[in-house]
C-alpha cells in the first residue's frame, strides 16, 4: 500500500475486454492485453498475455507471475515519482534537457548557486498520492553529462 489511509491507495487489478489492468497508486494503469490463465504441462496455472517479444520484435504470448507483476508495479511507481519531479522542476523554471531512467539532467545557469539544493528538494518531495513514501534526491554538478 502507498498509504495506510485506505484502500484507495492500494494497487488494484481488474479485467476489462480481455485485458488485465493494474491500477497504480497514482491512478495510472498498466495493461496486459488478451490476458488469460492457462493450464500448462507442469500442471500449474500460468498468467499469459499478448505482447512484444523484446528479441524478435514480434507480437507473441508472454508469461508472467506474481514476482514479475510486483517488479512492473515497482518500476511504474518509480516512473510516476520521476514524472512528478520532472514537472515540479520544470515549474521552477529550470530547463530539463533529458532524463535517463531515474536521472534528471537539467541545464542550469552558472549564476544559480542554489540550483542543486532546490532541484534535490523538489525530487525528494513525496507525491500527493503517496505522502508516506520517503524519497530523496541526490545528484552532482558537472559541465558535461556523465553517468555517475
Amino acid at each position: 500500500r502507498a498509504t495506510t489511509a485506505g484502500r484507495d491507495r492500494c494497487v488494484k487489478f481488474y479485467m476489462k475486454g480481455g485485458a488485465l489492468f493494474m491500477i497504480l497508486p497514482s491512478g495510472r494503469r498498466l495493461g496486459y492485453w488478451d490476458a488469460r490463465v492457462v493450464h500448462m504441462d507442469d500442471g500449474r496455472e500460468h498468467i499469459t498475455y499478448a505482447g512484444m517479444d523484446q528479441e524478435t520484435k514480434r507480437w507473441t504470448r508472454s508469461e508472467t507471475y506474481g514476482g514479475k507483476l510486483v517488479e512492473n508495479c515497482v518500476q511504474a511507481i518509480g516512473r510516476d515519482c520521476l514524472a512528478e519531479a520532472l514537472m515540479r522542476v520544470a515549474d521552477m523554471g529550470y530547463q530539463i534537457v533529458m532524463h535517463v531512467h531515474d536521472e534528471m539532467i537539467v541545464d542550469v545557469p552558472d549564476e544559480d548557486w542554489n540550483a542543486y539544493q532546490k532541484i534535490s528538494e523538489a525530487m525528494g518531495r513525496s507525491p500527493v498520492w503517496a505522502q508516506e513514501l520517503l524519497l530523496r534526491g541526490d545528484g552532482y554538478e558537472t559541465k558535461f553529462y556523465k553517468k555517475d
Side-chain angles (χ1 to χ4, degrees):
R1 290 183 185 214
T3 179
T4 57
R7 295 176 48 89
D8 59 326
R9 299 294 186 216
C10 295
V11 174
K12 301 175 188 172
F13 290 87
Y14 70 95
M15 292 286 296
K16 183 175 182 180
L20 173 65
F21 288 97
M22 177 191 303
I23 306 174
L24 301 167
S26 66
R28 190 165 66 96
R29 298 180 305 162
L30 299 182
Y32 300 86
W33 306 111
D34 194 23
R36 302 176 195 160
V37 175
V38 178
H39 296 278
M40 301 295 249
D41 291 339
D42 64 5
R44 299 182 351 196
E45 294 178 331
H46 294 246
I47 301 169
T48 66
Y49 62 96
M52 183 70 63
D53 183 297
Q54 295 302 305
E55 291 180 20
T56 66
K57 305 298 183 204
R58 294 177 187 254
W59 200 251
T60 186
R61 290 214 66 78
S62 297
E63 266 187 68
T64 193
Y65 57 97
K68 188 69 168 176
L69 293 172
V70 170
E71 178 186 346
N72 291 167
C73 178
V74 169
Q75 292 290 332
I77 289 171
R79 176 263 174 215
D80 290 348
C81 291
L82 178 62
E84 287 205 16
L86 286 164
M87 290 187 289
R88 280 194 294 273
V89 170
D91 288 346
M92 294 164 56
Y94 290 110
Q95 181 184 359
I96 298 167
V97 178
M98 65 180 180
H99 61 91
V100 180
H101 300 291
D102 60 349
E103 289 184 290
M104 178 185 314
I105 296 87
V106 183
D107 190 11
V108 176
D110 286 336
E111 62 274 4
D112 192 345
W113 296 102
N114 295 328
Y116 176 81
Q117 174 71 29
K118 292 186 282 189
I119 292 169
S120 292
E121 189 280 327
M123 288 189 73
R125 206 172 316 142
S126 298
V128 295
W129 45 266
Q131 291 291 316
E132 294 85 4
L133 184 60
L134 300 177
L135 299 175
R136 186 181 67 119
D138 194 12
Y140 57 91
E141 296 179 53
T142 183
K143 293 286 183 187
F144 302 97
Y145 174 74
K146 62 180 180 178
K147 185 73 176 156
D148 187 30

mmCIF file of all heavy atoms in Angstrom, residues 71-119:
data_model
loop_
_atom_site.group_PDB
_atom_site.id
_atom_site.type_symbol
_atom_site.label_atom_id
_atom_site.label_comp_id
_atom_site.label_asym_id
_atom_site.label_seq_id
_atom_site.Cartn_x
_atom_site.Cartn_y
_atom_site.Cartn_z
ATOM 1 N N GLU A 71 7.467 -6.485 -9.823
ATOM 2 C CA GLU A 71 8.554 -5.723 -10.451
ATOM 3 C C GLU A 71 7.999 -4.633 -11.366
ATOM 4 O O GLU A 71 8.442 -3.483 -11.323
ATOM 5 C CB GLU A 71 9.460 -6.652 -11.246
ATOM 6 C CG GLU A 71 10.583 -5.927 -11.952
ATOM 7 C CD GLU A 71 11.412 -6.828 -12.854
ATOM 8 O OE1 GLU A 71 11.311 -8.062 -12.754
ATOM 9 O OE2 GLU A 71 12.171 -6.274 -13.673
ATOM 10 N N ASN A 72 7.005 -4.986 -12.200
ATOM 11 C CA ASN A 72 6.368 -3.993 -13.072
ATOM 12 C C ASN A 72 5.765 -2.861 -12.260
ATOM 13 O O ASN A 72 5.893 -1.681 -12.616
ATOM 14 C CB ASN A 72 5.278 -4.644 -13.923
ATOM 15 C CG ASN A 72 5.786 -5.602 -14.971
ATOM 16 O OD1 ASN A 72 5.015 -6.347 -15.550
ATOM 17 N ND2 ASN A 72 7.076 -5.625 -15.246
ATOM 18 N N CYS A 73 5.113 -3.210 -11.163
ATOM 19 C CA CYS A 73 4.479 -2.231 -10.288
ATOM 20 C C CYS A 73 5.513 -1.275 -9.690
ATOM 21 O O CYS A 73 5.351 -0.059 -9.731
ATOM 22 C CB CYS A 73 3.706 -2.964 -9.196
ATOM 23 S SG CYS A 73 2.925 -1.887 -8.001
ATOM 24 N N VAL A 74 6.586 -1.828 -9.145
ATOM 25 C CA VAL A 74 7.622 -1.004 -8.504
ATOM 26 C C VAL A 74 8.279 -0.069 -9.520
ATOM 27 O O VAL A 74 8.474 1.127 -9.259
ATOM 28 C CB VAL A 74 8.670 -1.900 -7.808
ATOM 29 C CG1 VAL A 74 9.888 -1.106 -7.373
ATOM 30 C CG2 VAL A 74 8.041 -2.613 -6.620
ATOM 31 N N GLN A 75 8.616 -0.593 -10.699
ATOM 32 C CA GLN A 75 9.220 0.241 -11.744
ATOM 33 C C GLN A 75 8.263 1.351 -12.185
ATOM 34 O O GLN A 75 8.677 2.486 -12.409
ATOM 35 C CB GLN A 75 9.619 -0.621 -12.944
ATOM 36 C CG GLN A 75 10.750 -1.572 -12.672
ATOM 37 C CD GLN A 75 12.075 -0.862 -12.484
ATOM 38 O OE1 GLN A 75 12.310 0.214 -13.018
ATOM 39 N NE2 GLN A 75 12.951 -1.461 -11.704
ATOM 40 N N ALA A 76 6.992 1.021 -12.308
ATOM 41 C CA ALA A 76 5.999 2.006 -12.739
ATOM 42 C C ALA A 76 5.796 3.097 -11.687
ATOM 43 O O ALA A 76 5.654 4.272 -12.026
ATOM 44 C CB ALA A 76 4.669 1.315 -13.051
ATOM 45 N N ILE A 77 5.806 2.723 -10.413
ATOM 46 C CA ILE A 77 5.681 3.721 -9.343
ATOM 47 C C ILE A 77 6.903 4.639 -9.353
ATOM 48 O O ILE A 77 6.783 5.862 -9.203
ATOM 49 C CB ILE A 77 5.480 3.042 -7.978
ATOM 50 C CG1 ILE A 77 4.080 2.415 -7.909
ATOM 51 C CG2 ILE A 77 5.676 4.043 -6.830
ATOM 52 C CD1 ILE A 77 3.842 1.526 -6.695
ATOM 53 N N GLY A 78 8.092 4.061 -9.569
ATOM 54 C CA GLY A 78 9.306 4.882 -9.687
ATOM 55 C C GLY A 78 9.199 5.867 -10.833
ATOM 56 O O GLY A 78 9.570 7.033 -10.707
ATOM 57 N N ARG A 79 8.662 5.423 -11.962
ATOM 58 C CA ARG A 79 8.465 6.306 -13.109
ATOM 59 C C ARG A 79 7.478 7.426 -12.777
ATOM 60 O O ARG A 79 7.677 8.573 -13.141
ATOM 61 C CB ARG A 79 7.962 5.486 -14.303
ATOM 62 C CG ARG A 79 7.641 6.331 -15.532
ATOM 63 C CD ARG A 79 6.154 6.626 -15.568
ATOM 64 N NE ARG A 79 5.818 7.543 -16.638
ATOM 65 C CZ ARG A 79 4.872 8.456 -16.533
ATOM 66 N NH1 ARG A 79 4.183 8.600 -15.431
ATOM 67 N NH2 ARG A 79 4.598 9.245 -17.536
ATOM 68 N N ASP A 80 6.401 7.086 -12.068
ATOM 69 C CA ASP A 80 5.416 8.096 -11.700
ATOM 70 C C ASP A 80 6.015 9.145 -10.763
ATOM 71 O O ASP A 80 5.705 10.335 -10.871
ATOM 72 C CB ASP A 80 4.191 7.442 -11.062
ATOM 73 C CG ASP A 80 3.370 6.640 -12.065
ATOM 74 O OD1 ASP A 80 3.604 6.764 -13.294
ATOM 75 O OD2 ASP A 80 2.488 5.873 -11.623
ATOM 76 N N CYS A 81 6.872 8.719 -9.846
ATOM 77 C CA CYS A 81 7.561 9.658 -8.951
ATOM 78 C C CYS A 81 8.462 10.596 -9.753
ATOM 79 O O CYS A 81 8.479 11.808 -9.524
ATOM 80 C CB CYS A 81 8.380 8.906 -7.898
ATOM 81 S SG CYS A 81 7.401 8.035 -6.670
ATOM 82 N N LEU A 82 9.228 10.034 -10.698
ATOM 83 C CA LEU A 82 10.114 10.857 -11.527
ATOM 84 C C LEU A 82 9.302 11.832 -12.375
ATOM 85 O O LEU A 82 9.676 13.002 -12.504
ATOM 86 C CB LEU A 82 10.994 9.980 -12.421
ATOM 87 C CG LEU A 82 11.931 10.758 -13.354
ATOM 88 C CD1 LEU A 82 12.934 11.597 -12.566
ATOM 89 C CD2 LEU A 82 12.656 9.810 -14.294
ATOM 90 N N ALA A 83 8.182 11.385 -12.932
ATOM 91 C CA ALA A 83 7.351 12.260 -13.767
ATOM 92 C C ALA A 83 6.878 13.478 -12.971
ATOM 93 O O ALA A 83 6.908 14.607 -13.472
ATOM 94 C CB ALA A 83 6.164 11.487 -14.326
ATOM 95 N N GLU A 84 6.462 13.258 -11.724
ATOM 96 C CA GLU A 84 6.032 14.393 -10.894
ATOM 97 C C GLU A 84 7.200 15.312 -10.575
ATOM 98 O O GLU A 84 7.064 16.527 -10.577
ATOM 99 C CB GLU A 84 5.359 13.895 -9.617
ATOM 100 C CG GLU A 84 3.996 13.327 -9.884
ATOM 101 C CD GLU A 84 3.074 13.382 -8.681
ATOM 102 O OE1 GLU A 84 3.364 14.125 -7.716
ATOM 103 O OE2 GLU A 84 2.056 12.681 -8.715
ATOM 104 N N ALA A 85 8.373 14.730 -10.294
ATOM 105 C CA ALA A 85 9.557 15.546 -10.009
ATOM 106 C C ALA A 85 9.954 16.360 -11.244
ATOM 107 O O ALA A 85 10.321 17.538 -11.117
ATOM 108 C CB ALA A 85 10.714 14.661 -9.552
ATOM 109 N N LEU A 86 9.865 15.769 -12.422
ATOM 110 C CA LEU A 86 10.171 16.499 -13.658
ATOM 111 C C LEU A 86 9.252 17.714 -13.804
ATOM 112 O O LEU A 86 9.712 18.814 -14.149
ATOM 113 C CB LEU A 86 10.018 15.574 -14.869
ATOM 114 C CG LEU A 86 11.107 14.536 -15.092
ATOM 115 C CD1 LEU A 86 10.643 13.454 -16.061
ATOM 116 C CD2 LEU A 86 12.389 15.180 -15.599
ATOM 117 N N MET A 87 7.978 17.531 -13.532
ATOM 118 C CA MET A 87 7.030 18.646 -13.643
ATOM 119 C C MET A 87 7.327 19.727 -12.600
ATOM 120 O O MET A 87 7.270 20.921 -12.904
ATOM 121 C CB MET A 87 5.592 18.151 -13.530
ATOM 122 C CG MET A 87 5.171 17.333 -14.747
ATOM 123 S SD MET A 87 3.427 16.879 -14.777
ATOM 124 C CE MET A 87 3.354 15.662 -13.483
ATOM 125 N N ARG A 88 7.665 19.322 -11.369
ATOM 126 C CA ARG A 88 7.990 20.304 -10.330
ATOM 127 C C ARG A 88 9.214 21.131 -10.719
ATOM 128 O O ARG A 88 9.221 22.358 -10.581
ATOM 129 C CB ARG A 88 8.241 19.613 -8.989
ATOM 130 C CG ARG A 88 6.996 19.241 -8.240
ATOM 131 C CD ARG A 88 7.289 18.888 -6.789
ATOM 132 N NE ARG A 88 8.087 17.686 -6.640
ATOM 133 C CZ ARG A 88 7.604 16.455 -6.573
ATOM 134 N NH1 ARG A 88 6.302 16.249 -6.648
ATOM 135 N NH2 ARG A 88 8.408 15.430 -6.428
ATOM 136 N N VAL A 89 10.254 20.455 -11.199
ATOM 137 C CA VAL A 89 11.493 21.155 -11.573
ATOM 138 C C VAL A 89 11.239 22.077 -12.767
ATOM 139 O O VAL A 89 11.717 23.210 -12.791
ATOM 140 C CB VAL A 89 12.628 20.144 -11.838
ATOM 141 C CG1 VAL A 89 13.840 20.827 -12.459
ATOM 142 C CG2 VAL A 89 13.021 19.444 -10.533
ATOM 143 N N ALA A 90 10.462 21.623 -13.750
ATOM 144 C CA ALA A 90 10.127 22.473 -14.899
ATOM 145 C C ALA A 90 9.317 23.685 -14.451
ATOM 146 O O ALA A 90 9.547 24.806 -14.925
ATOM 147 C CB ALA A 90 9.355 21.670 -15.942
ATOM 148 N N ASP A 91 8.388 23.490 -13.510
ATOM 149 C CA ASP A 91 7.583 24.600 -12.992
ATOM 150 C C ASP A 91 8.433 25.619 -12.241
ATOM 151 O O ASP A 91 8.040 26.780 -12.110
ATOM 152 C CB ASP A 91 6.469 24.086 -12.069
ATOM 153 C CG ASP A 91 5.353 23.385 -12.826
ATOM 154 O OD1 ASP A 91 5.288 23.516 -14.071
ATOM 155 O OD2 ASP A 91 4.551 22.687 -12.173
ATOM 156 N N MET A 92 9.606 25.200 -11.757
ATOM 157 C CA MET A 92 10.526 26.114 -11.079
ATOM 158 C C MET A 92 11.307 26.959 -12.089
ATOM 159 O O MET A 92 12.069 27.842 -11.696
ATOM 160 C CB MET A 92 11.499 25.326 -10.198
ATOM 161 C CG MET A 92 10.816 24.632 -9.030
ATOM 162 S SD MET A 92 11.823 23.346 -8.229
ATOM 163 C CE MET A 92 13.295 24.222 -7.767
ATOM 164 N N GLY A 93 11.111 26.674 -13.376
ATOM 165 C CA GLY A 93 11.761 27.457 -14.420
ATOM 166 C C GLY A 93 13.052 26.859 -14.954
ATOM 167 O O GLY A 93 13.715 27.472 -15.788
ATOM 168 N N TYR A 94 13.400 25.672 -14.507
ATOM 169 C CA TYR A 94 14.629 25.040 -14.989
ATOM 170 C C TYR A 94 14.375 24.306 -16.295
ATOM 171 O O TYR A 94 13.294 23.768 -16.521
ATOM 172 C CB TYR A 94 15.180 24.068 -13.948
ATOM 173 C CG TYR A 94 15.727 24.764 -12.729
ATOM 174 C CD1 TYR A 94 15.089 24.674 -11.514
ATOM 175 C CD2 TYR A 94 16.880 25.535 -12.815
ATOM 176 C CE1 TYR A 94 15.585 25.322 -10.393
ATOM 177 C CE2 TYR A 94 17.390 26.192 -11.708
ATOM 178 C CZ TYR A 94 16.732 26.078 -10.502
ATOM 179 O OH TYR A 94 17.225 26.725 -9.404
ATOM 180 N N GLN A 95 15.405 24.268 -17.152
ATOM 181 C CA GLN A 95 15.304 23.576 -18.430
ATOM 182 C C GLN A 95 15.804 22.144 -18.273
ATOM 183 O O GLN A 95 16.995 21.914 -18.051
ATOM 184 C CB GLN A 95 16.128 24.287 -19.497
ATOM 185 C CG GLN A 95 16.038 23.608 -20.837
ATOM 186 C CD GLN A 95 16.930 24.256 -21.881
ATOM 187 O OE1 GLN A 95 17.618 25.227 -21.631
ATOM 188 N NE2 GLN A 95 16.912 23.686 -23.076
ATOM 189 N N ILE A 96 14.873 21.209 -18.389
ATOM 190 C CA ILE A 96 15.237 19.793 -18.325
ATOM 191 C C ILE A 96 15.672 19.378 -19.721
ATOM 192 O O ILE A 96 14.910 19.499 -20.682
ATOM 193 C CB ILE A 96 14.055 18.936 -17.832
ATOM 194 C CG1 ILE A 96 13.671 19.381 -16.417
ATOM 195 C CG2 ILE A 96 14.411 17.454 -17.881
ATOM 196 C CD1 ILE A 96 12.355 18.840 -15.942
ATOM 197 N N VAL A 97 16.907 18.914 -19.825
ATOM 198 C CA VAL A 97 17.476 18.549 -21.116
ATOM 199 C C VAL A 97 17.036 17.141 -21.513
ATOM 200 O O VAL A 97 16.693 16.888 -22.662
ATOM 201 C CB VAL A 97 19.016 18.642 -21.073
ATOM 202 C CG1 VAL A 97 19.635 18.214 -22.391
ATOM 203 C CG2 VAL A 97 19.445 20.047 -20.704
ATOM 204 N N MET A 98 17.052 16.218 -20.535
ATOM 205 C CA MET A 98 16.628 14.845 -20.781
ATOM 206 C C MET A 98 16.516 14.140 -19.443
ATOM 207 O O MET A 98 16.887 14.683 -18.409
ATOM 208 C CB MET A 98 17.617 14.107 -21.695
ATOM 209 C CG MET A 98 18.987 13.895 -21.116
ATOM 210 S SD MET A 98 20.011 13.009 -22.316
ATOM 211 C CE MET A 98 21.535 12.902 -21.393
ATOM 212 N N HIS A 99 15.987 12.924 -19.496
ATOM 213 C CA HIS A 99 16.023 12.085 -18.303
ATOM 214 C C HIS A 99 16.363 10.673 -18.735
ATOM 215 O O HIS A 99 16.018 10.231 -19.831
ATOM 216 C CB HIS A 99 14.716 12.150 -17.495
ATOM 217 C CG HIS A 99 13.511 11.687 -18.228
ATOM 218 N ND1 HIS A 99 13.075 10.381 -18.208
ATOM 219 C CD2 HIS A 99 12.645 12.359 -19.013
ATOM 220 C CE1 HIS A 99 11.974 10.279 -18.925
ATOM 221 N NE2 HIS A 99 11.692 11.454 -19.432
ATOM 222 N N VAL A 100 17.109 9.986 -17.883
ATOM 223 C CA VAL A 100 17.569 8.630 -18.159
ATOM 224 C C VAL A 100 17.208 7.790 -16.943
ATOM 225 O O VAL A 100 17.752 8.012 -15.859
ATOM 226 C CB VAL A 100 19.097 8.592 -18.391
ATOM 227 C CG1 VAL A 100 19.565 7.177 -18.674
ATOM 228 C CG2 VAL A 100 19.502 9.547 -19.508
ATOM 229 N N HIS A 101 16.266 6.862 -17.110
ATOM 230 C CA HIS A 101 15.780 6.021 -16.014
ATOM 231 C C HIS A 101 15.372 6.890 -14.832
ATOM 232 O O HIS A 101 14.385 7.592 -14.903
ATOM 233 C CB HIS A 101 16.809 4.955 -15.634
ATOM 234 C CG HIS A 101 17.137 4.037 -16.756
ATOM 235 N ND1 HIS A 101 16.238 3.123 -17.242
ATOM 236 C CD2 HIS A 101 18.250 3.914 -17.501
ATOM 237 C CE1 HIS A 101 16.780 2.470 -18.247
ATOM 238 N NE2 HIS A 101 18.006 2.920 -18.428
ATOM 239 N N ASP A 102 16.159 6.904 -13.753
ATOM 240 C CA ASP A 102 15.781 7.680 -12.568
ATOM 241 C C ASP A 102 16.596 8.968 -12.445
ATOM 242 O O ASP A 102 16.622 9.590 -11.400
ATOM 243 C CB ASP A 102 15.936 6.829 -11.303
ATOM 244 C CG ASP A 102 17.365 6.354 -11.085
ATOM 245 O OD1 ASP A 102 18.195 6.493 -12.009
ATOM 246 O OD2 ASP A 102 17.649 5.840 -10.003
ATOM 247 N N GLU A 103 17.229 9.388 -13.519
ATOM 248 C CA GLU A 103 18.032 10.612 -13.507
ATOM 249 C C GLU A 103 17.341 11.721 -14.292
ATOM 250 O O GLU A 103 16.710 11.469 -15.308
ATOM 251 C CB GLU A 103 19.396 10.387 -14.167
ATOM 252 C CG GLU A 103 20.352 9.550 -13.401
ATOM 253 C CD GLU A 103 21.688 9.486 -14.109
ATOM 254 O OE1 GLU A 103 21.752 8.845 -15.171
ATOM 255 O OE2 GLU A 103 22.651 10.081 -13.609
ATOM 256 N N MET A 104 17.537 12.933 -13.813
ATOM 257 C CA MET A 104 17.054 14.121 -14.489
ATOM 258 C C MET A 104 18.284 14.970 -14.830
ATOM 259 O O MET A 104 19.106 15.241 -13.955
ATOM 260 C CB MET A 104 16.124 14.881 -13.530
ATOM 261 C CG MET A 104 15.571 16.162 -14.052
ATOM 262 S SD MET A 104 14.604 17.076 -12.796
ATOM 263 C CE MET A 104 13.572 15.849 -12.063
ATOM 264 N N ILE A 105 18.430 15.359 -16.082
ATOM 265 C CA ILE A 105 19.560 16.188 -16.493
ATOM 266 C C ILE A 105 19.003 17.580 -16.769
ATOM 267 O O ILE A 105 18.127 17.758 -17.626
ATOM 268 C CB ILE A 105 20.275 15.608 -17.732
ATOM 269 C CG1 ILE A 105 20.900 14.237 -17.399
ATOM 270 C CG2 ILE A 105 21.369 16.551 -18.192
ATOM 271 C CD1 ILE A 105 20.004 13.079 -17.566
ATOM 272 N N VAL A 106 19.508 18.553 -15.999
ATOM 273 C CA VAL A 106 18.961 19.904 -16.025
ATOM 274 C C VAL A 106 20.058 20.879 -16.403
ATOM 275 O O VAL A 106 21.168 20.825 -15.859
ATOM 276 C CB VAL A 106 18.392 20.276 -14.629
ATOM 277 C CG1 VAL A 106 17.751 21.648 -14.660
ATOM 278 C CG2 VAL A 106 17.400 19.223 -14.159
ATOM 279 N N ASP A 107 19.766 21.766 -17.341
ATOM 280 C CA ASP A 107 20.696 22.825 -17.727
ATOM 281 C C ASP A 107 20.417 24.025 -16.825
ATOM 282 O O ASP A 107 19.315 24.567 -16.822
ATOM 283 C CB ASP A 107 20.480 23.183 -19.197
ATOM 284 C CG ASP A 107 21.568 24.096 -19.730
ATOM 285 O OD1 ASP A 107 22.596 24.283 -19.049
ATOM 286 O OD2 ASP A 107 21.384 24.629 -20.851
ATOM 287 N N VAL A 108 21.421 24.397 -16.037
ATOM 288 C CA VAL A 108 21.249 25.441 -15.027
ATOM 289 C C VAL A 108 22.237 26.577 -15.303
ATOM 290 O O VAL A 108 23.417 26.312 -15.561
ATOM 291 C CB VAL A 108 21.504 24.859 -13.614
ATOM 292 C CG1 VAL A 108 21.438 25.934 -12.566
ATOM 293 C CG2 VAL A 108 20.509 23.758 -13.319
ATOM 294 N N PRO A 109 21.796 27.824 -15.229
ATOM 295 C CA PRO A 109 22.738 28.947 -15.405
ATOM 296 C C PRO A 109 23.825 28.926 -14.321
ATOM 297 O O PRO A 109 23.574 28.577 -13.172
ATOM 298 C CB PRO A 109 21.844 30.185 -15.239
ATOM 299 C CG PRO A 109 20.451 29.701 -15.406
ATOM 300 C CD PRO A 109 20.432 28.270 -15.005
ATOM 301 N N ASP A 110 25.051 29.294 -14.697
ATOM 302 C CA ASP A 110 26.186 29.285 -13.758
ATOM 303 C C ASP A 110 25.924 30.138 -12.523
ATOM 304 O O ASP A 110 26.389 29.818 -11.431
ATOM 305 C CB ASP A 110 27.460 29.776 -14.450
ATOM 306 C CG ASP A 110 28.036 28.751 -15.408
ATOM 307 O OD1 ASP A 110 27.750 27.547 -15.225
ATOM 308 O OD2 ASP A 110 28.770 29.146 -16.332
ATOM 309 N N GLU A 111 25.165 31.217 -12.676
ATOM 310 C CA GLU A 111 24.939 32.132 -11.552
ATOM 311 C C GLU A 111 23.872 31.644 -10.561
ATOM 312 O O GLU A 111 23.654 32.268 -9.529
ATOM 313 C CB GLU A 111 24.592 33.536 -12.054
ATOM 314 C CG GLU A 111 23.335 33.634 -12.877
ATOM 315 C CD GLU A 111 23.528 33.344 -14.365
ATOM 316 O OE1 GLU A 111 24.641 32.980 -14.784
ATOM 317 O OE2 GLU A 111 22.542 33.476 -15.099
ATOM 318 N N ASP A 112 23.219 30.541 -10.855
ATOM 319 C CA ASP A 112 22.191 29.993 -9.956
ATOM 320 C C ASP A 112 22.861 29.053 -8.945
ATOM 321 O O ASP A 112 22.873 27.845 -9.103
ATOM 322 C CB ASP A 112 21.115 29.257 -10.757
ATOM 323 C CG ASP A 112 19.894 28.920 -9.927
ATOM 324 O OD1 ASP A 112 19.962 28.997 -8.680
ATOM 325 O OD2 ASP A 112 18.858 28.564 -10.524
ATOM 326 N N TRP A 113 23.403 29.639 -7.886
ATOM 327 C CA TRP A 113 24.201 28.905 -6.904
ATOM 328 C C TRP A 113 23.389 27.896 -6.096
ATOM 329 O O TRP A 113 23.936 26.925 -5.582
ATOM 330 C CB TRP A 113 24.896 29.873 -5.943
ATOM 331 C CG TRP A 113 25.873 30.750 -6.656
ATOM 332 C CD1 TRP A 113 25.681 32.049 -7.011
ATOM 333 C CD2 TRP A 113 27.159 30.381 -7.138
ATOM 334 N NE1 TRP A 113 26.771 32.533 -7.685
ATOM 335 C CE2 TRP A 113 27.713 31.512 -7.772
ATOM 336 C CE3 TRP A 113 27.917 29.206 -7.102
ATOM 337 C CZ2 TRP A 113 28.972 31.508 -8.350
ATOM 338 C CZ3 TRP A 113 29.165 29.202 -7.678
ATOM 339 C CH2 TRP A 113 29.686 30.341 -8.294
ATOM 340 N N ASN A 114 22.105 28.108 -5.942
ATOM 341 C CA ASN A 114 21.273 27.220 -5.132
ATOM 342 C C ASN A 114 20.500 26.187 -5.946
ATOM 343 O O ASN A 114 19.658 25.472 -5.405
ATOM 344 C CB ASN A 114 20.263 28.039 -4.323
ATOM 345 C CG ASN A 114 20.942 28.920 -3.309
ATOM 346 O OD1 ASN A 114 21.996 28.561 -2.782
ATOM 347 N ND2 ASN A 114 20.371 30.073 -3.042
ATOM 348 N N ALA A 115 20.772 26.081 -7.235
ATOM 349 C CA ALA A 115 20.000 25.190 -8.100
ATOM 350 C C ALA A 115 20.062 23.740 -7.628
ATOM 351 O O ALA A 115 19.033 23.071 -7.554
ATOM 352 C CB ALA A 115 20.489 25.295 -9.543
ATOM 353 N N TYR A 116 21.234 23.256 -7.308
ATOM 354 C CA TYR A 116 21.382 21.863 -6.888
ATOM 355 C C TYR A 116 20.497 21.577 -5.672
ATOM 356 O O TYR A 116 19.771 20.589 -5.638
ATOM 357 C CB TYR A 116 22.844 21.546 -6.581
ATOM 358 C CG TYR A 116 23.061 20.151 -6.045
ATOM 359 C CD1 TYR A 116 23.131 19.070 -6.899
ATOM 360 C CD2 TYR A 116 23.159 19.927 -4.677
ATOM 361 C CE1 TYR A 116 23.313 17.786 -6.423
ATOM 362 C CE2 TYR A 116 23.330 18.639 -4.186
ATOM 363 C CZ TYR A 116 23.407 17.581 -5.060
ATOM 364 O OH TYR A 116 23.574 16.318 -4.582
ATOM 365 N N GLN A 117 20.543 22.434 -4.694
ATOM 366 C CA GLN A 117 19.745 22.278 -3.469
ATOM 367 C C GLN A 117 18.252 22.301 -3.785
ATOM 368 O O GLN A 117 17.493 21.463 -3.311
ATOM 369 C CB GLN A 117 20.095 23.390 -2.478
ATOM 370 C CG GLN A 117 19.230 23.414 -1.237
ATOM 371 C CD GLN A 117 19.525 22.246 -0.320
ATOM 372 O OE1 GLN A 117 20.635 21.741 -0.296
ATOM 373 N NE2 GLN A 117 18.524 21.817 0.428
ATOM 374 N N LYS A 118 17.823 23.247 -4.608
ATOM 375 C CA LYS A 118 16.399 23.372 -4.940
ATOM 376 C C LYS A 118 15.896 22.170 -5.743
ATOM 377 O O LYS A 118 14.803 21.657 -5.482
ATOM 378 C CB LYS A 118 16.149 24.679 -5.706
ATOM 379 C CG LYS A 118 16.351 25.924 -4.844
ATOM 380 C CD LYS A 118 15.961 27.187 -5.577
ATOM 381 C CE LYS A 118 17.037 27.604 -6.545
ATOM 382 N NZ LYS A 118 16.816 28.934 -7.151
ATOM 383 N N ILE A 119 16.686 21.710 -6.687
ATOM 384 C CA ILE A 119 16.280 20.568 -7.505
ATOM 385 C C ILE A 119 16.248 19.297 -6.660
ATOM 386 O O ILE A 119 15.312 18.499 -6.759
ATOM 387 C CB ILE A 119 17.209 20.417 -8.729
ATOM 388 C CG1 ILE A 119 16.997 21.600 -9.680
ATOM 389 C CG2 ILE A 119 16.959 19.092 -9.445
ATOM 390 C CD1 ILE A 119 18.034 21.713 -10.780
#
